[in-house]
Amino acid sequence: MELVAGCYEQVLFGFAVHPEPEACGDHEQQWTLVADFTHHAHTASLSAVAVNSRFVVTGSKDETIHIYDMKKKIEHGALVHHSTITCLKFYGNRHLISGAEDGLICIWDAKKWECLKSIKAHKGQVTFLSIHPSGKLALSVGTDKTLRTWNLVEGRSAFIKNIKQNAHIVEWSPRGEQYVVIIQNKIDIYQLDTASISGTITNEKRISSVKFLSESVLAVAGDEEVIRFFDCDSLVCLCEFKAHENRVKDMFSFEIPEHHVIVSASSDGFIKMWKLKQDKKVPPSLLCEINTNARLTCLGVWLDKVADMKESLPPAAEPSPVSKEQSKIGKKEPGDTVHKEEKRSKPNTKKRGLTGDSKKATKESGLISTKKRKMVEMLEKKRKKKKIKTMQ
């Protein structure tokens, strides 16, 4: 198990987690965090991090997505397609979805690291996105004051809802029966079957992160030192506890045998792990903490486990054509491992579903290893030499 956290100082931190045996008597159980790596790959502050069972990906204001192979502990490469990255979400081990300030949502094959589809999602920036547990739907919010529902099977917009203000967070519940939309310090709870608001929760300060601890219990953190647990049915605050000395920037929740853990990262530089009680009215106990001495912005937890059952998005029943706005192919730049988008390039009109593999790799935003490229160049040189000898 490894905690990964990004910061304003352009660094990605990695901390190995060493769980201790269950404590006896009155003593609280304590875990240990050990610094594993620091990586300075980005040239601007980190804005998003996502994890699956093998990779950690980070997004930055430097307009790149960096990929890290956690099994081999090496940097795997980088993707260029967007402007400033605002959100990254894995679905299982096969797909990564990214959103950015350019208004695009991109769906990536996380095996070949090809861009399967690029969708002009919002007229303004994409501020946040969330994938339904089924993998068939996604929600996104942006600075165009809209909440958009996406059909991921067909790669198209399913529903657009105008909202009065710019929302900055959207999150599905674990079973996908409801979702929350956050505007400043207000949480609107929507029911999937009616697509209408069933209740509203108001936090004291602007909200920076929310995580569902169960289908009805929501952890809320924001521009303050405390974390609160709210009941989405009764709309009451179950408990609150002081987590940090400064505002909480991000949270991550996960379950392992006999433990339900929430991790918090703050502008005070600390990352803390908390063990949740069965009764959510009781504040959690602190398992461990570590000071990074950095202004943290985003957080993830890599769990070294077998492949997730959610291997891929559902297969497309009828692959939809890629429109001019949705996908463009740029020219390959020799000597680069990353292929940059060229605005005036011709659209790719080949019909392809989101999960279908193209026979020809997408050139504009895929990732090709330097080793593979050098091998191709060497074989090409040998072929030319052989041709010259034959002619002589």
Side-chain angles (χ1 to χ4, degrees), residues 57-84:
V57 294
T58 57
S60 168
K61 291 186 177 180
D62 66 8
E63 305 183 354
T64 64
I65 299 169
H66 281 262
I67 309 158
Y68 307 92
D69 188 324
M70 295 297 287
K71 299 279 190 182
K72 298 179 179 178
K73 292 294 174 68
I74 59 169
E75 183 171 2
H76 191 71
L79 305 171
V80 173
H81 188 95
H82 286 293
S83 63
T84 295

Side-chain angles (χ1 to χ4, degrees), residues 80-94:
V80 173
H81 188 95
H82 286 293
S83 63
T84 295
I85 312 300
T86 55
C87 44
L88 294 167
K89 300 286 181 182
F90 272 111
Y91 183 80
N93 290 322
R94 193 60 197 259

Side-chain angles (χ1 to χ4, degrees), residues 89-92 97 129-139 150 152-153 170-180 192 212 214-215 308-314:
K89 300 286 181 182
F90 272 111
Y91 183 80
I97 303 184
L129 60 88
S130 183
I131 306 168
H132 189 270
S134 68
K136 295 178 181 179
L137 295 173
L139 293 169
W150 300 96
L152 292 180
V153 177
V170 62
E171 196 75 57
W172 285 104
S173 64
R175 293 203 299 265
E177 294 173 3
Q178 58 185 348
Y179 55 91
V180 292
L192 178 61
F212 274 97
S214 68
E215 189 65 21
D308 200 323
M309 291 299 289
K310 298 182 292 185
E311 269 297 317
S312 63
L313 295 171

